[in-house]
Amino acid sequence: MALVSPFCGSPPRHAAERGPTPGRKNVMRLVLIGPPGAGKGTQSSRLAAHLGVPHLSTGDMLREAMAAHTPLGDQARAYIERGQLVPDELVLNMVCQRITQPDCHAGMLLDGFPRTVRQAEALDAYLHGRGTPLDVALELAVPDDEVVRRLDKRGRDDDRPQVVAQRLHAYWTATRPLLDYYRQRGLLRSVDGLGTMDEVFARLLRALGRSSPHCS
Ligand code: ADP
């Protein structure tokens, strides 16, 4: 089944929408990839604030849609409750609407997206069309047994053991291939996700070539 188009068709061409202002520093378009429970959400919001870019979490967006009982939320619910990925078309439409907002033109941190190679290809096509390609794909690496321990403590609706097993399966089969996808493009940087939140955050900053807030 082919996508109608990557995201919402042709990227905007107006000068004001073409992307970062020339010469502006610290413009960052990045994605954070990692298994469920890797700490993507916490680290992403902290990192996005540090970099001064919006934090876009597809998990949060989908949970908001479910809580508001929008058509998207109602369609997504069955997949999320089973620990399966929401179909690419639904996620791509949702992300398209967000990513084309003016606050994303100068940079963004995508958390939980892309999660399939098809999503990554659609994102690349969109960003290249705008002349603003992705800067970095960060992997937050956490072993499966640690993931299971963390999610067991967290207790969100989709953290029940059977659902966690399915989410891990989805990660291994659909999302891990993204690591090779970004490695081949020279964009991948892997960070050890074990340790305290501050330790992991400092590693993420180092992977981005920035010094830790505690060291500066
Ligand atoms: P986690 O990383 O802990 O699994 P998220 O909050 O990122 O949690 O995602 C929760 C659920 O939302 C996923 O298990 C999946 O069903 C759905 N989801 C989130 N992002 C995507 C995406 N990019 N593509 C498909 N499904 C997604």
Side-chain angles (χ1 to χ4, degrees), residues 34-38 40 57-60 62-63 79-80 83-88 91 111-116 119 151 154 156 158-159 167:
K40 292 189 302 291
S57 157
T58 44
D60 286 349
L62 289 166
R63 279 185 289 277
Y79 297 97
I80 292 179
Q84 294 169 352
L85 293 185
V86 174
D88 286 333
V91 173
D111 159 15
F113 177 92
R115 241 176 169 99
T116 63
Q119 291 178 12
L151 295 183
R154 188 169 70 178
R156 209 169 69 192
D158 56 351
D159 291 340
R167 283 162 65 203

